[in-house]
């Protein structure tokens, strides 16, 4: 069993003097600040020698008081050990630059692009430093810097400029004023936009680019999937996200600790309990409190209930994509899900955005007849799920369409950075409930479901089997849940000590992590969300290459995407 | 006396008397025919909504026109008629405008040659058919394919990539399945010694579904493909191509294209019943003897229609390459096997 301190001593002996600051938080968390020049070597060393094959994400932090930017690289392993290394690199604010890790980890791409456009930190060595989430007008404004004043500048009262394009359409654009351009508020960065980039790839006349989205019957939210087609085959896929980017991470910096909780719900309406849990867990670490035992059980029960309803809806939506909206099992699953959602509603009072988990506890206790009401629903869910498994296993068209389609090998899945059911379908038993034990999960008896095929059918099978495991977990929790308080004592004013914490939970869609920084005030200094769907989306274009158009929707659907979490 | 002969007599008379009279009578006949088909198709749309609702544990239309929602389609039609007529900017205007019209004309042409049941008078069945031609089975099969041309016109002229792909898919599907379908009709014609649909029905002492089971299955699948129903609705796969070849259509033009699908669904079901399920043959029902063939006929057609709707609610869509694969590698050889079987049985009977 590798522990954080062992990893630290290995790094120190290999790179003497390169570790500027160090903190071993626990056996599973290692915080180090490293020399920017040694970042690449050190990461390569960790990846090759110590099994850190999972690049979990990166966060930018604007330390305006020190005139510095920080980039936090989150590295961990797919099962070799359970240490999470949070490697910080500091870079001066006037010429920020950090070496790109895309050469070592393919999936560093999007995380670094996001930091680049939001903070203006340059990543030398990055292959395609193009805007990802921001609209073209805002590129160069670096809106997540602490000194960003807002845009359009409220003092001018200007909103949009109307112009007529060459082909007669009216366009509304938000243009920077001359004053803004002169004053250096804006350094316009000239990069080819999305459309220009994809047209560069267009080859012969036989090829065409078909747009799926931002408004399309198939997309679960507004994003643009452009397919470069050769007949019915996809030669290359381009993905553009950010249509509904809300800047939740920035908004949370302007709310107090408790108010910020509300925004975690809105990131993905299918997994709001998990998102609440991940944020609260991180803040609890900062506050140094542990939720009461009863509250922990309640959180687990609700998290698993919401996993059940999310998987049911995810499977139902997936089926509509390969069949049609008229396909009946879709409706049956929605009906089953309704019972589960009602159950959650009876506890939290809300159907999708609960804001139920609180620091050190939960908002309210379970209703008195909760167990009696839950057990029949669980029985029903179990029976129905087994039926659906039978149905899909015996449907020959389904097998023809799904088996061997969108295959991910374990190696490729790890490299693309996907997690959750899609990763477990490739026979990698990687589940945060086991990897990063939290709440009462270590005491509970459940299996991490895996499949070996790694195709679309396997992903759906994993989801259906996980419903059964969740049922098992809830039954155990209902038996064991102790009486007692549901809320740990909290200070009157929530003001965590300056510091930072990283907390991971298993979202229905995979690894959900919250990196939270406190500066001692009543507001979070920085919140970074590491979402599973973000990782899925990044992995989508390489997965779609060579597929048929009909398989595009099947593969995308089997990933169970949720756009609002990408555009958080 | 056949209705056809009756109409022919009147037409001859009218031609001798006055061309105008002939025109008026012809128009009246066409109006009756299109009325019958359209009402039938409306009933099918309603049937589909209700049956789908039942299959999926929901109600279906239940507000407009009593709790059975019978006026829902009328309300939809009024809405479609009053909608703004939009022609996309880049569209090939002439083709775009003509596509729905061609589609409607093709279904009407098919309807003219299809018997809509029969009346039993003194133990003899008098089929209700407008144009009783000698090669009506062949004619119906050929003209039914014009619909695909209309779909292709619609998709090609819309100046839209989804439409274009939908049109291509429709064409590919038609080419792969028209052949086995035609070969199955040949099998039936060989046993019946006729290509006339009325003769085919009358020769079915044993339903051809039992005499040629392979042919029946292949024809049914090919027919579903031709109609573009699930699991073969790739040309308008809404999850991939938004609405396929009808994506750019709106208002009543869309309504016509949508409606002709249901008309052809009715006609296709009737064709299946005529060729393989014994048409209107069946024992006489006392008291209403005259209508008994009609009742048998309608019953069979409705069963086929409900089967098609049920199929839509319970199967998934094939991928387009799998459809053509199935067509060329399975349906065509099977239809040829069926043809050989029909020839052998025909030789034995002869």
């Amino acid at each position: 069993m590798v522990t954080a301190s062992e990893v630290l001593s290995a790094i120190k002996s290999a790179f003497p003097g390169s570790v500027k600051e160090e903190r071993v938080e626990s056996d599973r968390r290692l915080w180090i600040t490293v020399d920017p020049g040694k970042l690449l070597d050190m990461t390569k060393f960790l990846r090759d020698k110590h099994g850190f094959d999972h690049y979990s994400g990166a966060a930018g932090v604007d330390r305006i008081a020190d005139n510095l930017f920080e980039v936090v690289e989150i590295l961990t392993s797919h099962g070799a050990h359970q240490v999470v290394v949070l490697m910080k690199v500091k870079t001066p604010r006037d010429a920020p630059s950090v070496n790109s890790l895309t050469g070592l980890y393919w999936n560093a791409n999007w995380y670094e692009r996001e930091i680049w456009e939001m903070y203006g930190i340059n990543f030398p060595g990055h292959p395609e430093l193009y805007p990802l989430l921001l609209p073209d007008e805002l590129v160069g404004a670096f809106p997540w810097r602490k000194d960003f004043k807002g845009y359009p500048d409220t003092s001018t009262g200007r909103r949009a400029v109307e112009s007529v394009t060459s082909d007669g359409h009216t366009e509304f654009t938000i243009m920077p004023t001359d004053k803004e351009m002169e004053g250096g508020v804006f350094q316009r960065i000239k990069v080819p936009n999305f459309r220009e980039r994809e047209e560069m790839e267009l080859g012969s006349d036989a090829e065409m680019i078909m747009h799926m989205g931002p408004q399309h019957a198939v997309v679960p939210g507004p994003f643009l999937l452009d397919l470069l087609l050769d007949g019915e085959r996809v030669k290359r896929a381009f993905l553009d996200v950010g249509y509904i980017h809300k800047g939740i991470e920035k908004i949370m910096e302007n709310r107090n600790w408790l108010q910020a909780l509300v925004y975690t719900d809105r990131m993905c309406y299918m997994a709001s309990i998990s998102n609440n849990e991940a944020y609260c867990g991180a803040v609890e670490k900062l506050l140094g409190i542990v939720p009461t035992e009863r509250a922990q059980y309640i959180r687990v029960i609700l998290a698993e209930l919401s996993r059940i309803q999310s998987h049911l809806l995810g499977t139902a939506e997936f089926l509509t994509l390969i069949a049609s909206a008229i396909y009946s099992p879709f409706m049956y699953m929605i009906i089953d899900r309704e019972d589960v959602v009602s159950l959650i509603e009876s506890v939290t009072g809300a159907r999708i955005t609960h804001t139920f988990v609180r620091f050190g506890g939960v908002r309210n206790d379970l209703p008195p007849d909760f167990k009696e009401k839950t057990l029949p629903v669980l029985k029903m869910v179990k029976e129905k799920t087994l039926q659906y498994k039978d149905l899909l296993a015996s449907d020959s068209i389904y097998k023809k369409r799904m088996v061997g389609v969108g295959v991910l090998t374990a190696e490729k899945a790890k490299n693309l950075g996907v997690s959750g059911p899609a990763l477990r379908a490739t026979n990698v038993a990687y589940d945060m409930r086991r990897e990063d034990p939290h709440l009462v999960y270590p005491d509970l008896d459940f299996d991490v479901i895996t499949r070996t095929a790694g195709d679309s059918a396997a992903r759906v099978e994993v989801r259906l089997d996980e419903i059964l495991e969740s049922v098992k977990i809830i039954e155990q929790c209902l038996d064991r849940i102790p009486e007692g308080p549901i809320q740990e004592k909290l200070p009157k004013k929530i003001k965590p000590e300056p510091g930072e914490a990283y907390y991971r939970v298993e979202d229905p869609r995979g690894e959900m992590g919250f990196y939270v920084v406190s500066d001692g005030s009543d507001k979070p200094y920085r919140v970074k969300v590491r979402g599973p769907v973000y990782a899925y989306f990044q992995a989508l274009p390489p997965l779609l290459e060579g597929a048929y158009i009909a398989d595009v929707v099947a593969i995308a659907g089997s990933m169970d995407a949720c756009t609002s979490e990408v555009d958080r | 006396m056949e209705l056809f002969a009756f109409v022919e007599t009147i037409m001859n008379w009218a031609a001798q008397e006055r061309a105008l009279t002939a025109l008026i009578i012809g128009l009246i006949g066409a109006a009756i025919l299109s009325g019958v088909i359209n009402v039938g198709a409306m009933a099918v749309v309603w049937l589909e909504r209700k049956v789908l609702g039942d299959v999926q544990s929901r109600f279906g239309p239940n507000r407009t026109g009593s709790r059975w929602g019978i006026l829902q389609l009328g309300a939809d039609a009024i809405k479609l008629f009053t909608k703004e007529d939009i022609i996309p900017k880049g569209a090939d205007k002439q083709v775009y405008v003509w596509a729905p019209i061609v589609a409607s004309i093709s279904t009407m042409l098919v309807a003219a040659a299809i018997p809509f049941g029969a009346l039993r008078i003194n133990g003899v069945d008098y089929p209700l058919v407008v144009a009783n031609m000698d090669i009506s089975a062949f004619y119906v099969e050929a003209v039914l394919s014009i619909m695909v041309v209309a779909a292709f016109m619609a998709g090609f002229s819309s100046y839209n990539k989804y439409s274009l792909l939908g049109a291509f898919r429709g064409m590919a599907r038609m080419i792969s399945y028209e052949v086995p379908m035609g070969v199955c009709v040949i099998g039936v014609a060989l046993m019946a010694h006729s290509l006339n649909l009325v003769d085919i029905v009358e020769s079915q002492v044993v339903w051809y579904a039992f005499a040629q089971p392979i042919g029946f299955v292949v024809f049914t699948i090919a027919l579903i493909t031709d109609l573009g129903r699930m699991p073969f609705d790739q040309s308008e796969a809404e999850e991939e191509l938004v609405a396929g070849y009808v994506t750019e259509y709106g208002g009543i033009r869309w309504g016509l294209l949508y409606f002709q699908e249901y008309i052809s669904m009715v006609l296709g079901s009737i064709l299946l019943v005529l060729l393989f399920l014994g048409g209107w043959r069946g024992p006489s029902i006392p008291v209403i003897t005259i209508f008994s063939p009609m009742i048998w006929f309608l019953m069979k057609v409705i069963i086929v229609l409900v089967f098609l709707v049920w199929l839509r609610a319970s199967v998934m869509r094939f991928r387009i390459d799998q459809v053509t694969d199935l067509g060329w590698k399975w349906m065509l050889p099977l239809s040829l096997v069926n043809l050989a079987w029909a020839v052998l049985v025909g030789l034995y009977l002869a």
Side-chain angles (χ1 to χ4, degrees):
Chain A
M1 187 71 201
V2 182
T3 62
S5 41
E6 285 169 29
V7 174
L8 178 63
S9 52
I11 296 174
K12 275 169 135 178
S13 59
F15 299 92
S18 296
V19 179
K20 307 279 187 217
E21 292 165 30
E22 57 186 66
R23 179 161 75 95
V24 178
E25 187 192 317
S26 68
D27 280 355
R28 292 192 173 82
R29 289 283 186 285
L30 173 62
W31 302 79
I32 48 175
T33 308
V34 303
D35 184 359
K38 287 280 188 296
L39 174 70
L40 275 178
D41 293 340
M42 202 177 282
T43 316
K44 194 166 169 25
F45 168 76
L46 284 178
R47 186 191 71 169
D48 295 342
K49 299 275 160 44
H50 290 275
F52 282 88
D53 56 352
H54 181 29
Y55 181 87
S56 190
V61 185
D62 184 1
R63 297 282 187 186
I64 192 164
D66 306 336
N67 204 23
L68 285 173
F69 281 124
E70 272 177 15
V71 174
V72 187
E73 315 272 8
I74 306 165
L75 303 178
T76 178
S77 165
H78 282 115
H81 53 76
Q82 299 170 337
V83 182
V84 182
V85 173
L86 293 107
M87 201 191 290
K88 274 191 249 172
V89 185
K90 293 191 173 162
T91 177
R93 221 160 170 280
D94 40 3
S97 172
V98 173
N99 281 331
S100 169
L101 293 186
T102 42
L104 297 171
Y105 299 101
W106 182 87
N107 64 329
N109 192 325
W110 273 27
Y111 297 98
E112 289 179 354
R113 271 165 80 177
E114 189 182 337
I115 296 173
W116 169 74
E117 65 183 348
M118 296 303 185
Y119 289 96
I121 300 174
N122 201 23
F123 286 92
H126 193 289
E128 36 167 20
L129 221 42
Y130 298 127
L132 174 71
L133 297 167
L134 287 181
D136 287 349
E137 300 89 64
L138 271 175
V139 178
F142 308 134
W144 285 8
R145 287 185 176 183
K146 287 281 177 187
D147 55 358
F148 180 66
K149 289 285 184 294
Y151 183 79
D153 197 344
T154 40
S155 59
T156 60
R158 178 177 42 80
R159 276 289 171 267
V161 178
E162 189 180 335
S163 61
V164 180
T165 59
S166 56
D167 56 342
H169 291 290
T170 310
E171 262 187 9
F172 292 91
T173 40
I174 306 167
M175 302 289 287
T177 58
D178 295 343
K179 207 174 122 204
E180 280 170 333
M181 294 293 273
E182 277 170 25
V185 182
F186 253 80
Q187 302 119 30
R188 267 315 181 94
I189 297 173
K190 255 297 159 201
V191 285
N193 67 23
F194 183 72
R195 189 57 48 80
E196 288 160 0
R197 290 202 310 270
E198 65 181 21
E199 274 167 9
M200 279 190 265
E201 303 282 335
L202 202 57
S204 67
D205 280 353
E207 297 170 357
M208 69 172 184
I209 292 175
M210 191 176 91
H211 309 293
M212 277 196 174
Q215 277 85 39
H216 188 280
V218 53
V219 295
F223 67 85
L224 178 61
L225 185 60
D226 277 3
L227 307 173
L228 179 61
L229 293 178
D230 187 4
E232 283 265 341
R233 289 265 190 172
V234 178
K235 263 184 104 174
R236 223 184 131 179
F238 307 89
L239 187 62
D240 192 18
V241 295
Y243 283 84
I244 49 164
H245 194 259
K246 302 171 280 292
I248 281 183
E249 292 171 19
K250 182 75 177 173
I251 297 173
M252 285 167 86
E253 290 174 15
N254 296 307
R255 297 285 180 272
N256 72 31
W257 288 96
L258 188 59
Q259 286 169 342
L261 174 61
V262 177
Y263 291 92
T264 61
D265 281 338
R266 272 76 183 165
M267 278 187 331
C268 178
Y269 59 93
M270 293 315 299
S272 36
I273 295 275
S274 312
N275 298 349
N276 286 170
E277 167 62 29
Y279 174 68
C280 287
V283 176
E284 279 160 7
K285 271 190 174 182
L286 284 175
L287 289 168
I289 55 170
V290 177
T292 63
E293 206 183 346
R294 185 173 173 83
Q296 292 194 21
Y297 273 101
I298 296 177
R299 284 186 188 186
V300 170
I301 290 173
L302 282 173
E304 296 305 320
L305 278 176
S306 79
R307 192 186 313 279
I308 291 175
Q309 59 93 8
S310 170
H311 280 350
L312 277 173
L313 188 73
T315 315
E317 280 179 353
F318 161 74
L319 289 177
T320 64
L321 294 183
I322 54 167
S324 76
I326 301 296
Y327 188 58
S328 306
F330 163 66
M331 208 57 81
Y332 303 157
M333 286 182 190
I334 297 289
I335 293 168
D336 299 344
R337 173 179 172 265
E338 193 56 35
D339 285 358
V340 181
V341 172
S342 307
L343 213 53
I344 300 176
E345 193 185 359
S346 76
V347 183
T348 66
R351 286 172 57 86
I352 50 176
T353 47
H354 313 293
T355 324
F356 179 69
V357 181
R358 292 297 159 87
F359 311 136
V362 290
R363 195 178 66 215
N364 53 275
D365 209 340
L366 298 176
D369 56 347
F370 184 71
K371 190 175 175 182
E372 290 72 51
K373 270 182 8 200
T374 310
L375 288 177
V377 176
L378 292 182
K379 193 160 163 270
M380 182 276 294
V381 166
K382 208 167 159 178
E383 277 169 14
K384 289 288 182 67
T385 308
L386 289 172
Q387 277 179 23
Y388 297 138
K389 275 179 72 179
D390 266 5
L391 179 82
L392 295 184
S394 59
D395 190 329
S396 55
I397 301 183
Y398 173 78
K399 281 192 271 185
K400 228 175 146 93
R401 283 291 307 277
M402 287 298 103
V403 174
V405 167
V407 179
L408 269 176
T409 58
E411 212 44 55
K412 197 176 173 194
K414 285 175 181 176
N415 195 24
L416 296 180
V418 301
S419 59
L423 181 64
R424 289 193 284 273
T426 65
N427 207 12
V428 179
Y430 189 63
D431 188 322
M432 290 312 125
R433 293 173 291 181
R434 288 279 186 245
E435 291 295 317
D436 214 340
H438 52 277
L439 301 180
V440 288
Y441 281 118
D443 306 338
L444 297 170
D445 169 40
F446 65 96
D447 298 328
V448 176
I449 303 293
T450 53
R451 287 286 182 282
T452 47
D455 54 9
S456 300
R459 292 193 268 276
V460 175
E461 269 177 49
V462 168
R463 261 185 215 108
L464 288 176
D465 273 353
E466 276 184 7
I467 294 177
L468 299 178
E469 291 303 312
S470 292
V471 168
K472 227 161 91 183
I473 294 174
I474 298 168
E475 281 170 353
Q476 291 172 42
C477 287
L478 287 175
D479 284 343
R480 294 187 198 171
I481 182 166
E483 291 298 322
I486 54 158
Q487 179 68 51
E488 191 60 42
K489 286 237 164 13
L490 280 179
K492 205 146 213 165
K493 194 109 181 152
I494 298 171
K495 276 188 180 176
E497 291 298 302
E500 50 209 334
Y502 184 62
Y503 189 80
R504 299 191 290 173
V505 299
E506 184 69 21
D507 192 80
R509 285 161 187 76
E511 176 187 352
M512 164 64 82
F514 263 71
Y515 168 70
V516 179
V517 183
S518 165
D519 63 345
S521 72
D522 60 348
K523 291 173 181 169
Y525 187 74
R526 169 84 171 103
V527 180
K528 161 75 193 169
V529 185
R530 189 270 178 221
V533 186
Y534 195 78
Y536 280 157
F537 264 54
Q538 183 172 204
L540 207 49
L543 203 52
L544 296 180
E545 268 164 39
Y548 283 94
I549 299 174
D551 287 341
V552 168
V553 293
I555 296 168
S558 71
M559 293 299 234
D560 192 10
C562 174
T563 323
S564 57
E565 195 230 81
V566 179
D567 292 347
R568 61 187 173 265
Chain B
M1 186 182 73
E2 285 172 3
L3 192 67
F4 172 67
F6 171 68
V7 171
E8 204 175 49
T9 322
I10 292 185
M11 297 288 257
N12 286 340
W13 168 78
Q16 286 160 10
E17 290 301 314
R18 220 184 252 159
L20 189 66
T21 329
L23 189 66
I24 290 169
I25 289 174
L27 284 177
I28 291 171
I32 292 173
L33 186 67
S34 56
V36 168
I37 307 171
N38 284 314
V39 169
M42 280 167 98
V44 172
V45 175
W46 176 83
L47 182 86
E48 174 165 80
R49 288 181 179 178
K50 276 319 230 190
V51 171
L52 280 181
D54 273 0
V55 171
Q56 302 179 344
S57 314
R58 54 186 180 84
F59 292 110
N62 64 345
R63 298 295 162 95
T64 322
S66 83
R67 70 192 192 85
W68 295 98
I70 28 181
L71 293 182
Q72 184 60 49
L73 203 74
D76 287 351
I78 291 169
K79 181 200 74 177
L80 287 176
F81 267 110
T82 50
K83 269 178 110 167
E84 188 190 351
D85 179 32
I86 299 170
I87 298 177
K89 214 170 185 181
D92 187 339
K93 220 169 175 178
Q94 294 298 320
V95 185
Y96 180 88
V97 169
W98 273 95
I101 300 171
V102 170
S104 315
I105 290 174
S106 74
T107 46
M108 290 299 150
L109 286 176
V110 173
I114 277 192
F116 287 89
L119 296 176
R120 188 166 290 172
I121 301 163
N122 298 333
V124 184
D125 292 343
Y126 293 100
L128 302 172
V129 57
V130 177
N132 189 5
M133 13 180 151
D134 287 341
I135 53 158
S136 52
F138 174 72
Y139 168 84
V140 165
E141 232 242 80
V143 179
L144 209 56
S145 306
I146 294 181
M147 266 159 28
V148 182
V149 177
F152 190 78
M153 284 167 70
F156 195 76
S157 65
S158 292
Y159 196 57
N160 180 311
K161 288 165 185 172
Y162 304 123
S163 306
L164 190 66
L165 277 170
F168 284 160
R169 286 181 178 190
M171 218 43 159
R173 221 177 45 201
M174 191 271 275
I175 290 168
S176 352
Y177 281 81
E178 281 297 298
V179 183
M181 198 171 164
V183 175
C184 290
V185 174
I186 296 175
V188 169
L190 273 174
M191 273 198 186
H193 298 291
S194 171
L195 270 170
N196 182 317
L197 284 170
V198 175
D199 291 350
I200 288 174
V201 171
E202 265 153 21
S203 67
Q204 289 188 55
V205 182
V206 178
W207 290 4
Y208 288 142
F210 298 122
Q212 306 181 15
I214 302 176
F216 174 60
V217 172
V218 172
F219 185 85
T220 311
I221 293 175
L223 185 74
I224 296 169
T225 320
D226 218 37
L227 299 175
R229 301 279 306 175
M230 268 310 226
F232 298 105
D233 68 338
Q234 289 81 9
S235 57
E236 49 196 298
E238 66 200 76
E239 281 72 28
E240 300 146 32
L241 302 181
V242 187
Y245 65 92
V246 292
T247 306
E248 289 292 352
Y249 279 84
I252 195 60
R253 290 187 211 286
W254 176 83
L256 274 178
L257 280 173
Y258 170 80
F259 206 58
Q260 69 88 17
E261 279 176 33
Y262 283 88
I263 296 176
S264 50
M265 186 173 153
V266 177
L267 296 175
S269 312
I270 291 177
L271 193 63
L272 185 68
V273 169
L274 292 176
L275 289 178
F276 285 97
L277 298 176
W280 51 83
R281 289 180 71 97
S284 289
I285 302 163
V287 185
I288 45 165
T289 322
I290 181 167
F291 292 118
S292 56
M294 210 64 220
I295 289 169
W296 289 118
F297 182 73
L298 278 179
M299 229 155 74
K300 289 173 190 173
V301 171
I302 289 172
I303 287 172
V304 172
L305 285 169
V306 170
F307 170 73
L308 289 178
V309 173
W310 180 31
L311 208 61
R312 184 175 172 200
S314 38
V315 294
M316 298 185 189
R317 183 186 302 124
F318 279 109
R319 208 166 57 202
I320 183 68
D321 63 311
Q322 291 166 345
V323 174
T324 44
D325 209 63
L326 190 73
W328 291 112
K329 290 185 188 160
W330 289 94
M331 293 299 132
L332 185 60
L334 279 176
S335 66
L336 291 174
V337 168
N338 178 65
L339 185 62
W341 164 256
V343 170
L344 286 176
V345 173
L347 281 177
Y348 174 74
L349 289 179

